[in-house]
Amino acid sequence: MNENSTPNNPVVPGAGADGPSLSDSASISGSDAVNLAAEQSKSTAHRNIPGLGDLPIPDDTANLREGPNLHDGLLALLPLVGVWRGEGQADTAEDGQYAFGQQITFAHDGENYLSFESRMWKLDEEGNPTGVDQRESGFWRINLKDEIEFVCTHAGGVVEIYYGQPLNERAWQLESASTMVTATGPSTLGPGKRLYGLLPTNELGWVDERLVGDALKPRMSAQLTRVIG
């Protein structure tokens, strides 16, 4: 993980001392953010996740221009909706330090929650994929007091409940209130904290920190570019 990262100023992977951190999430003006998003959407606005199209209920959509309207209760999470793809760094008790690729999907079906899916794959030193890594799915909800609930299940045998709140219009911090590990899951995984935020480049950065001994230490982080939405 980046040696310049601290609990109060997490640095996105590979950024270096002068690179962007998640504390930069609010450092771009509203007009600049809109202009940048409009420019970037030229290559992503026409894309969406596939749907069967024959369900009696709305298909999920990761594109706010298509499908049902976003529920009014989710406006504080609106910037997350889309499909994001990029690379990150991990330092886990199970596999040590390694690089990974990742795709995160935040989608909705018009109801008052976002669905969440994360798929990862390991990368070798040249950046080539070498196989499947971790996978997560879950749901984000937020109430009228801006209190976020995130229920997350890991394919490796973990179920977690996170609570948190927006730090600003472009960043969201969550802390695990319950971490349940199955008999075959990662027994060393402790409680933790996650921070998701849009960088000044409108990329999505996130950091997962876990309690090791008496201190939180970065376990995973990534910097992702919007590819849909």
Side-chain angles (χ1 to χ4, degrees):
M1 307 305 296
N2 195 310
E3 63 182 3
N4 301 293
S5 179
T6 68
N8 294 322
N9 186 35
V11 176
V12 295
D18 298 324
S21 73
L22 292 184
S23 63
D24 296 325
S25 295
S27 64
I28 184 173
S29 70
S31 59
D32 287 344
V34 170
N35 292 336
L36 182 58
E39 179 64 27
Q40 293 174 335
S41 70
K42 292 178 180 178
S43 61
T44 64
H46 64 288
R47 305 184 69 190
N48 202 355
I49 56 177
L52 295 176
D54 57 358
L55 289 173
I57 54 177
D59 281 321
D60 284 350
T61 177
N63 189 327
L64 294 171
R65 301 167 185 82
E66 301 179 8
N69 292 330
L70 185 72
H71 193 284
D72 288 344
L74 297 175
L75 293 180
L77 303 177
L78 180 151
L80 291 169
V81 176
V83 179
W84 308 82
R85 191 178 297 164
E87 297 181 0
Q89 298 288 330
D91 187 358
T92 70
E94 303 80 39
D95 297 317
Q97 297 185 8
Y98 63 92
F100 62 86
Q102 183 183 30
Q103 177 176 287
I104 289 180
T105 301
F106 285 97
H108 77 97
D109 60 3
E111 297 300 315
N112 197 13
Y113 52 80
L114 293 182
S115 62
F116 169 89
E117 182 182 33
S118 167
R119 304 190 69 175
M120 297 180 180
W121 51 95
K122 289 185 177 179
L123 302 173
D124 63 19
E125 294 182 355
E126 285 73 42
N128 300 310
T130 61
V132 174
D133 193 25
Q134 302 186 33
R135 187 168 182 173
E136 299 175 351
S137 63
F139 296 92
W140 287 53
R141 301 193 301 164
I142 185 168
N143 64 21
L144 295 177
K145 297 180 180 180
D146 277 350
E147 297 167 334
I148 299 172
E149 298 177 359
F150 175 30
V151 179
C152 182
T153 59
H154 305 238
V158 180
V159 178
E160 297 190 275
I161 297 175
Y162 290 86
Y163 292 105
Q165 60 188 17
L167 296 180
N168 53 59
E169 294 179 351
R170 294 167 57 87
W172 305 264
Q173 182 169 284
L174 308 163
E175 294 188 13
S176 60
S178 174
T179 300
M180 299 178 62
V181 180
T182 67
T184 58
S187 59
T188 58
L189 184 68
K193 179 173 70 174
R194 286 193 184 183
L195 181 62
Y196 294 81
L198 296 185
L199 301 168
T201 57
N202 268 358
E203 293 174 298
L204 177 65
W206 71 273
V207 176
D208 180 288
E209 297 178 322
R210 295 289 166 166
L211 189 65
V212 179
D214 296 326
L216 284 170
K217 294 186 177 180
R219 182 173 183 268
M220 286 187 163
S221 61
Q223 185 171 348
L224 313 174
T225 300
R226 182 187 294 276
V227 295
I228 290 179

